[in-house]
């Protein structure tokens, strides 16, 4: 359009000249934008893509370790809970001796402490995995 306006006679030539200048400046800006885009791609995107596999492996390892610990703790809590239930059954049968009551109370405290420890370990594991 700029060339056609430039080749005509009259005031349209001035419009053609100005449109030509705008088009040339736009071409220069497009060149600058393409340069910035390629620089950002080279220094930001590609290095992150390379580290992506490393991060995936690290998170997989953390999750695997976490699931092992989780199973151990769940098994331990299950055993403690079962032993407390057995103790309560003994006490229901009529053997409410003070020693059994103390033993049951100690078992309940231990179970509660282990449960709280389990909750805290889960919280820390989630924080560790999310920070990776």
């Amino acid at each position: 359009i700029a060339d056609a306006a430039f080749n005509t006679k009259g005031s349209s030539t001035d419009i053609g000249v100005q449109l030509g200048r705008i088009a040339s400046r736009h071409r220069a800006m497009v060149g600058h934008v393409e340069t910035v885009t390629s620089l950002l791609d080279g220094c930001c995107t590609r290095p992150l893509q390379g580290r992506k596999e490393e991060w995936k492996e690290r998170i997989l390892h953390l999750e695997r370790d976490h699931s092992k610990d989780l199973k151990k703790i769940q098994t331990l809590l299950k055993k403690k809970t079962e032993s407390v239930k057995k103790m309560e059954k003994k006490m229901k049968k009529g053997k409410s001796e003070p020693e059994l009551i103390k033993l049951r109370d100690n078992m309940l405290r231990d179970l509660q402490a282990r449960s709280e420890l389990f909750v805290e370990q889960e919280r820390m594991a989630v924080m560790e995995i999310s920070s990776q």
Side-chain angles (χ1 to χ4, degrees):
I1 296 174
D3 291 337
F6 182 72
N7 291 332
T8 61
K9 293 184 180 181
S11 64
S12 297
T13 57
D14 293 336
I15 294 173
V17 169
Q18 296 304 320
L19 286 175
R21 286 183 184 168
I22 291 172
S24 67
R25 288 182 181 152
H26 281 195
R27 281 189 213 109
M29 286 301 295
V30 167
H32 292 302
V33 169
E34 287 175 350
T35 303
V36 169
T37 303
S38 67
L39 288 173
L40 286 175
D41 184 46
C43 72
C44 295
T45 307
R46 289 192 184 117
L48 289 177
Q49 287 175 346
R51 295 184 68 196
K52 182 178 169 183
E53 293 300 320
E54 178 186 332
W55 291 336
K56 280 184 181 179
E57 288 179 25
R58 176 87 169 119
I59 288 175
L60 260 166
H61 180 68
L62 287 172
E63 287 177 346
R64 199 175 310 125
D65 290 346
H66 174 255
S67 65
K68 286 179 186 177
D69 292 341
L70 177 68
K71 286 179 185 178
K72 287 179 185 177
I73 292 172
Q74 284 177 335
T75 304
L76 179 70
L77 289 176
K78 188 175 180 180
K79 287 180 182 178
K80 295 274 184 189
T81 304
E82 288 174 1
S83 63
V84 168
K85 286 181 182 178
K86 285 180 184 178
M87 185 64 65
E88 287 176 351
K89 281 184 182 179
K90 281 183 182 179
M91 292 176 67
K92 282 185 181 178
K93 288 183 180 178
K95 297 182 180 181
S96 295
E97 298 173 8
E99 296 157 5
L100 288 178
I101 294 172
K102 285 182 183 179
L103 183 61
R104 184 200 58 174
D105 290 343
N106 286 338
M107 292 171 85
L108 284 172
R109 274 189 239 116
D110 185 41
L111 180 63
Q112 182 64 29
R114 300 263 182 174
S115 296
E116 290 171 3
L117 180 66
F118 171 69
V119 168
E120 187 60 32
Q121 285 177 342
E122 281 297 300
R123 186 175 298 125
M124 295 303 291
V126 168
M127 291 174 78
E128 184 179 355
I129 289 173
S130 67
S131 69
Q132 299 295 322

